[in-house]
Amino acid sequence: MTRPGNPRRYLWLTLGLVLALAGGGGLACYHFSCDRTAHAAARDGDVMLWMRHEFCLGDVAYAEILRLHQEHSAVCAQHCEGVRAARTRLAEAQAGGDAAAVDAAVLELARTEAVCRASTEAYVRRVAAVMEPAQGARYLGMVLPRLSALDHEGPPNPHLQR
């Protein structure tokens, strides 16, 4: 008569096998479904290359977005300079203690920030229009909510600094 094995041993072996298979399956799914180029671009801080792969941009669309970015960078630099100048005027008015000058500087700062934000939103919408409609909508969903956080320190660098 054979003696049955330890039931706990089989439980642990089965549990270990199931966990190993689940982990292996998860790694295989990740490996075969991730876009290595997009991950590398994001890791290296290359925003434009990341955009190309994240939003499935073809050569023509990518070239047009690069052109739009170059075009907008010059405009953005001017707008950001206007915001910085308005901030300086506000600080000077506050230091001078002239309430009318402070009020005027606050209005000027709000106006220059609004111009910059509107220009950037128009640029973002032009970029989205170059993309396939579903990708453009996804891009707008990612970017538009972030416009309120613009720091007005200059045009965005397509290569993020680490």
Side-chain angles (χ1 to χ4, degrees), residues 19-113:
L19 288 174
L21 288 172
L27 285 174
C29 287
Y30 175 79
H31 175 76
F32 291 111
S33 67
C34 78
D35 184 345
R36 284 185 180 73
T37 306
H39 284 262
R43 181 188 63 242
D44 296 341
D46 190 339
V47 174
M48 300 308 282
L49 184 60
W50 172 82
M51 276 183 63
R52 181 177 192 156
H53 290 277
E54 179 68 22
F55 297 103
C56 305
L57 301 174
D59 291 341
V60 173
Y62 182 66
E64 177 61 11
I65 289 172
L66 285 175
R67 187 191 69 73
L68 288 171
H69 179 73
Q70 289 299 321
E71 180 182 282
H72 179 70
S73 290
V75 172
C76 183
Q78 291 173 346
H79 290 158
C80 289
E81 178 55 38
V83 170
R84 286 192 301 273
R87 286 177 179 167
T88 300
R89 285 191 293 279
L90 176 59
E92 290 169 354
Q94 289 171 331
D98 181 1
V102 169
D103 291 343
V106 166
L107 289 174
E108 177 65 11
L109 177 59
R111 186 194 68 75
T112 57
E113 286 178 338

Side-chain angles (χ1 to χ4, degrees), residues 8-22:
R8 282 192 140 170
R9 178 176 168 225
Y10 294 120
L11 172 68
W12 289 113
L13 284 174
T14 303
L15 184 60
L17 181 61
V18 167
L19 288 174
L21 288 172

